[in-house]
Structures are given as structure tokens and as C-alpha cells.
Amino acid sequence: LSWMRYLERGRSFMVDLMQGQLRSTLSCATCGHRSRRFEPFLYVSLPVSWEMGSVADALHEYLAEEKLSGGDQWYCERCKRKVDACKKIDIWELPPVLVLQLKRFEYDA
């Protein structure tokens, strides 16, 4: 329902053609509490490395579950403190035209 309301406010030919929706899920490693957020996107920015043989490999890397710990800990509403957590991004609504940006540059300090 909120997705439909969002689309009604920002409706245009380009939005209809290229906009999708991501679902971001954060899960507490201590109590199992989950937080879900939905975000619109016009393109997906994929990290690319020399080890990857295809765009599908880059997409799998982008959608892989990420462990949050140390300085990246997440504040759990149920535990009332920062905890280790898992973050997972899913493509929830796929647009008719999917635009992929391939991030092929790495910065080494």
C-alpha cells in the first residue's frame, strides 16, 4: 500500500519504466529481532572484481548477507543496545528496465 502511494506522488514515464524497490532486513544476532525497510531505486550499483566471471556474480555479491560487528554494530530496539547483526538486501519489486552500474574501481589507501 505504501509503495502504491509513493508511486502516485512521483509518477512519470521514467519512474514507471526504471524504478524498483529494495527490501533491507536487519536481524539481531542476540534476540532475533528483525527490522525491515523498503527503499525505491532507479539503478543498482554493483561491486565488480577481477574474480567475477559474470554480472550474475556481481549481483549475488550485492545481495549476499552481510555481518555487522565491531564499529558497524546495529542498535536493536528490543535489546536497547548496539549488537552484532546480519544485513540482507533483496530486490523486492523489479522494474521493467533494470539499470546496473558496475563499480569496477577500488581505492587502496
Side-chain angles (χ1 to χ4, degrees):
L1 183 61
S2 62
W3 178 244
M4 293 308 232
R5 285 189 202 134
Y6 176 83
L7 288 177
E8 286 173 3
R9 281 185 272 136
R11 194 144 209 118
S12 76
F13 170 73
M14 293 301 286
V15 167
D16 290 344
L17 193 60
M18 299 171 63
Q19 186 167 293
Q21 187 178 38
L22 296 175
R23 178 182 73 174
S24 176
T25 305
L26 285 159
S27 303
C28 176
T30 304
C31 72
H33 174 69
R34 288 187 179 182
S35 170
R36 288 193 177 105
R37 276 188 18 206
F38 294 88
E39 300 177 29
F41 71 89
L42 292 173
Y43 62 90
V44 177
S45 195
L46 301 177
V48 180
S49 68
W50 291 107
E51 297 83 35
M52 295 176 181
S54 67
V55 173
D57 292 342
L59 189 57
H60 285 293
E61 178 72 23
Y62 178 78
L63 298 175
E65 188 172 88
E66 178 184 358
K67 305 287 185 200
L68 303 178
S69 61
D72 293 329
Q73 284 186 320
W74 173 61
Y75 182 82
C76 176
E77 293 291 326
R78 187 178 292 164
C79 295
K80 304 289 187 209
R81 62 185 174 92
K82 285 193 170 194
V83 295
D84 289 349
C86 292
K87 180 179 180 180
K88 177 78 172 87
I89 294 176
D90 296 301
I91 297 177
W92 193 251
E93 291 281 339
L94 199 58
V97 175
L98 179 61
V99 178
L100 301 176
Q101 174 191 16
L102 303 179
K103 296 187 333 184
R104 58 192 178 102
F105 298 105
E106 291 182 22
Y107 176 74
D108 285 336

